[in-house]
Amino acid sequence: MFEENLICKMLKIKYPIFQGGMAWLGTAELASAVSNAGGLGIIGAGHMPPDVLRAEIQKTKAKTDKPFGVNIMLMSPFVKEVMQVVVEERVPVVTTGAGNPGEYIPSLKEIGTKVIPVVASVALARRLVRTGVDAVIAEGMESGGHIGELTTMPLVPQVVDAVDVPVIAAGGIGDARGFVAAFALGASAVQMGSRFVLSKECIAHENYKNLVLKARDRSTVITGRATGHPARVLQNKLSRHYLDRESHGASIDELEKLGLGTLRLAAREGDVENGSVMIGQISGMLSDIESVDEIIQGIVSKVGPTIESINNNLK
Ligand code: TUI
């Protein structure tokens, strides 16, 4: 299976499944587990200083001999330095998020790193493909964390039609049904973040995992629309306060301050009332914590039966 898959061939991976590069959660433990299970594990650089990222890359290399990636969050104050680190460490795949990575593409391409930006629109996808990116991740606003405006269903096929590189679908994908749906839209692979948060290997605090386990279909809200940096999070004390201030005309400065450090507080320290619990809309269908290998094998083994049941229903 997947011998002819464009992304598996390009990246030399077994299954066309990426783990989203989540800040504070996409650590060497999670990324190496996903790569060892045949997917593409991705270290989430978030706001990591360059030396911390270098250590995480070296830890990942010690835990897996399979390809892995680093996600670079373009709003990071360390973006230039962390780009330098991934070049020096010759990281096989770099994904980017929360902005336009155009200026960094030539130096990454030069050393043979595959560059795969997250795009939330057709316009950015087209522009980046002209600069030579190897593929694009089309991420719908079903995702957790920083999001764009479009949902996955309309975004993915419009990006597929606009570019001549493989497209990875992200946002709202959590099981074999989502995987098959993404391929029906023309995607060549999927990226999942939330599903891997509820894995044994993810170091998210147990309070974070437990709150996600309790989530229902409408448990997430979007904060930060007024700041130009909308983010999907679980409803809690912080998001209620944030939305209250946002609707009462708080300044961008006040809102940005309210968000500072809150992801670390929830994800690592376990303060899920005052911290930011970033998670996607599929959290409502997550009901247990499995190993990364069980998650990937569970999805891959159900792809055939899912397609078969579609065919039966089409007869
Ligand atoms: O980046 C993400 N998800 C994230 S980043 C993050 S860290 C953070 N913390 C606090 C506030 C904000 C972020 C948490 N989750 N996903 C990838 C993604 N990229 N989603 C949307 C985009 C995107 C949006 C606009 C990519 C490009 C873009 O275009 C900008 C332009 O210049 O056209």
Side-chain angles (χ1 to χ4, degrees):
M1 211 175 174
F2 306 122
E3 288 81 13
E4 298 300 320
N5 179 276
L6 295 172
I7 290 292
C8 290
K9 284 202 288 192
M10 178 194 291
L11 304 181
K12 303 186 174 61
I13 56 178
K14 196 165 172 196
Y15 304 124
I17 298 177
F18 290 16
Q19 162 246 316
M22 302 165 285
W24 297 110
L25 300 177
T27 61
E29 286 85 359
L30 182 59
S32 61
V34 172
S35 288
N36 283 332
L40 185 76
I42 300 180
I43 299 166
H47 288 137
M48 267 183 203
D51 54 325
V52 176
L53 177 61
R54 193 187 301 276
E56 211 61 31
I57 292 169
Q58 290 173 353
K59 201 165 154 192
T60 306
K61 285 176 178 171
K63 287 173 179 284
T64 185
D65 54 7
K66 305 272 192 319
F68 67 94
V70 170
N71 173 266
I72 298 184
M73 216 277 285
L74 295 161
M75 294 194 297
S76 163
F78 303 112
V79 58
K80 283 203 161 60
E81 294 95 319
V82 299
M83 282 288 179
Q84 189 60 37
V85 169
V86 299
V87 169
E88 285 164 15
E89 293 290 332
R90 294 198 136 46
V91 171
V93 182
V94 165
T95 66
T96 65
N100 181 344
E103 64 182 291
Y104 305 104
I105 293 169
S107 62
L108 292 167
K109 297 280 302 172
E110 202 175 300
I111 57 156
T113 291
K114 301 292 183 202
V115 185
I116 311 184
V118 170
V119 297
S121 69
V122 168
L124 187 62
R126 276 192 213 278
R127 212 179 314 146
L128 292 175
V129 166
R130 281 201 294 271
T131 68
V133 301
D134 298 280
V136 294
I137 301 167
E139 187 191 276
M141 52 89 85
E142 297 92 328
S143 294
H146 178 60
I147 51 173
E149 303 263 355
L150 293 175
T151 56
T152 300
M153 184 91 91
L155 177 66
V156 172
Q158 292 187 76
V159 172
V160 166
D161 287 347
V163 300
D164 57 3
V165 297
V167 175
I168 298 100
I173 300 164
D175 62 13
R177 294 169 298 181
F179 180 102
V180 170
F183 277 68
L185 298 175
S188 297
V190 299
Q191 171 166 285
M192 300 187 298
S194 303
R195 182 73 202 262
F196 286 118
V197 170
L198 290 196
S199 67
K200 290 190 177 124
E201 292 87 344
C202 178
I203 62 152
H205 193 283
E206 63 171 325
N207 296 351
Y208 197 102
K209 290 183 177 178
N210 284 335
L211 204 64
V212 174
L213 280 170
K214 281 196 244 156
R216 302 204 242 185
D217 55 348
R218 299 174 63 209
S219 295
T220 68
V221 290
I222 301 173
T223 59
R225 278 195 166 108
T227 68
H229 301 132
R232 182 177 302 284
V233 297
L234 274 186
Q235 272 175 316
N236 66 359
K237 187 173 150 202
L238 173 67
S239 65
R240 277 189 290 274
H241 176 63
Y242 191 109
L243 287 173
D244 180 60
R245 295 300 305 136
E246 202 173 349
S247 67
H248 287 89
S251 68
I252 292 184
D253 201 45
E254 178 190 338
L255 294 172
E256 302 245 288
K257 280 207 182 94
L258 275 180
L260 269 185
T262 54
L263 180 55
R264 178 176 183 279
L265 187 63
R268 302 290 280 266
E269 289 178 30
D271 185 348
V272 293
E273 275 307 303
N274 300 298
S276 174
V277 185
M278 291 183 170
I279 206 77
Q281 289 185 320
I282 65 144
S283 50
M285 59 195 220
L286 298 176
S287 55
D288 53 0
I289 297 176
E290 297 173 294
S291 72
V292 160
D293 198 53
E294 286 166 341
I295 291 171
I296 292 183
Q297 287 304 319
I299 291 174
V300 169
S301 68
K302 289 188 199 85
V303 169
T306 302
I307 294 171
E308 204 178 318
S309 86
I310 294 172
N311 275 327
N312 285 335
N313 218 1
L314 291 173
K315 271 182 198 153

